[in-house]
Structures are given as structure tokens and as C-alpha cells.
Amino acid sequence: MRLTAKRIGLTIGLFSFLALIPMSCGIFCQDSCGCGPSAPPQDLIIKSMQMLTLGPMGQTVNPLDTLSYNQVFKSLEVKEFEIKLLSENFSPGPSFGLAYACSPLPVYSRDEIIDIRIRNKTALTLADGTTLNPQQDISSYFGMAFFYTDKLATIQESIGTGRYFFWGENFKLGSKQSPGKALKLEFDVEVTFKSGKAFLLENQVLSIRG
């Protein structure tokens, strides 16, 4: 009985001692970010943006090929960027444990997206007789979501009062409902940030059918 109690005491003592020692990177940490202090916070400075035409699995498709309205999307992505340290004097302090040592801080643009505006370029008549005129704001016909999210929300619902753009992230824009007939939509997309910076993505094409 005394021997068992002694073993329990030694075991507890050993674990208590190990808890005070920083964990070895080679033994405990399998994360690609490595071990040690976490990285300083960083800001994603967006220099330019682009739109690609993609299918439901993320494959590139020809924007002139007419596909079902829920099988083809415009993908909004960062094209050129710069990553900037937010503080050159960042000091994370000592690090003990896996959660702190091996969890890199997400990199995102601190400048929030506050508006996405879509303007028609050519006159079109929808199946219900509605006419879309050149320069008409047609944002309400489009929905937006993370790319691999099935359901599209309105652009305003997706952005809210401001939306951060994370590194490697992309959004899909697509028709919210069947057009009732084959349509070749030609439009410009303007993305505006809180700072006032804006990107104009001109001459976008989306060919859809019901």
C-alpha cells in the first residue's frame, strides 16, 4: 500500500515538473508554424483584386460557356498584396504549451470591405419582361457567400457593417435565382473599403441559364 502511494506521489511530481518545462518542438509540435513565441500580428495590404469564373468545385470555366445559374460563379480574390507587421516592437512574452506556441495568428486586411456594387453594361430583357439598362445597379440580382458555401445571401447580408478579407480567402458572386432563359450578363464590379480605397473590376461576363 505504501509502495503504491509512493509511486502515485512520484508520478504526480514528475508531471508537475514537466508542466513547468517548455515543450520540445521536435517531440510535441507537429504544426507547420513551428514552436516558440507566436508571430506578431500582421496586416494584409491589398494592392489589387481579380475575378475568376469558376464552377461549383472551384474549377476554372470559360465565362462565355452558358451553364446553369447555380453551377457557375464569379470568384472575388486578392491578386496582389503586401503583408505588413503591425508593430515592430511586438513582444509576445514567454510561451508554455501547444495552443500558444503552435497557433499562428490569422493574416487579414484591417481595412474592411463596406460595399460591393455591380453595374450592368448592356441592355438585357429578363424572362419576366424586366429590362436591365446600361449602368443600372444590378447588385440585388446577385448573392454572395464563401466559395464552398452552398447558399447565397444578399451582398449586404454578407458584408454587414464591414467585412474583413483574410489571406487566401475568396468569395463567390452568383445569380440568386433562375433567369428563366439563357443570358449573357456583362457588368463591372466595384469593391469599396472603409478607408475609401476601391477596386474597379471591369468587363466581367457571366453566361447563365435557368
Side-chain angles (χ1 to χ4, degrees):
M1 190 69 180
R2 290 180 180 178
L3 184 60
T4 301
K6 185 176 181 180
R7 286 178 178 174
I8 293 174
L10 288 173
T11 301
I12 293 173
L14 177 62
F15 277 106
S16 298
F17 174 73
L18 289 175
L20 298 175
I21 301 176
M23 293 186 176
S24 169
C25 186
I27 297 174
F28 295 99
C29 180
Q30 302 299 322
D31 192 276
S32 60
C33 70
C35 286
S38 59
Q42 301 173 88
D43 189 9
L44 178 68
I45 309 298
I46 300 174
K47 300 290 188 180
S48 66
M49 304 190 79
Q50 66 180 357
M51 296 201 87
L52 303 176
T53 307
L54 303 179
M57 301 306 295
Q59 74 276 21
T60 302
V61 298
N62 188 333
L64 298 178
D65 290 343
T66 302
L67 300 172
S68 177
Y69 77 99
N70 58 1
Q71 295 294 305
V72 61
F73 308 94
K74 303 301 289 190
S75 174
L76 177 63
E77 306 175 359
V78 173
K79 183 178 181 182
E80 297 175 310
F81 63 91
E82 174 187 341
I83 294 178
K84 179 182 178 182
L85 294 180
L86 289 179
S87 173
E88 295 181 358
N89 300 317
F90 176 76
S91 178
S95 172
F96 302 96
L98 292 175
Y100 179 72
C102 299
S103 297
L105 295 172
V107 179
Y108 63 93
S109 171
R110 264 66 178 182
D111 193 5
E112 300 166 85
I113 296 175
I114 60 170
D115 190 42
I116 295 177
R117 195 72 54 183
I118 303 174
R119 292 185 176 87
N120 188 43
K121 297 205 69 169
T122 58
L124 286 173
T125 301
L126 305 181
D128 63 2
T130 302
T131 299
L132 302 181
N133 297 308
Q135 298 307 311
Q136 181 179 338
D137 185 342
I138 58 172
S139 306
S140 61
Y141 289 91
F142 284 79
M144 178 177 170
F146 293 114
F147 195 84
Y148 291 104
T149 302
D150 292 331
K151 188 175 181 180
L152 297 176
T154 66
I155 293 175
Q156 191 55 54
E157 286 173 339
S158 297
I159 295 175
T161 57
R163 178 69 176 79
Y164 295 114
F165 207 114
F166 286 78
W167 183 32
E169 189 174 53
N170 64 335
F171 297 104
K172 65 178 178 182
L173 292 166
S175 177
K176 290 195 301 181
Q177 59 187 34
S178 171
K181 67 176 187 178
L183 290 177
K184 179 185 175 184
L185 296 170
E186 298 179 61
F187 51 91
D188 296 334
V189 179
E190 185 174 23
V191 183
T192 304
F193 289 79
K194 192 172 183 178
S195 66
K197 178 171 63 177
F199 297 100
L200 182 61
L201 306 170
E202 299 182 284
N203 303 317
Q204 302 300 319
V205 175
L206 189 65
S207 303
I208 57 174
R209 54 179 166 78

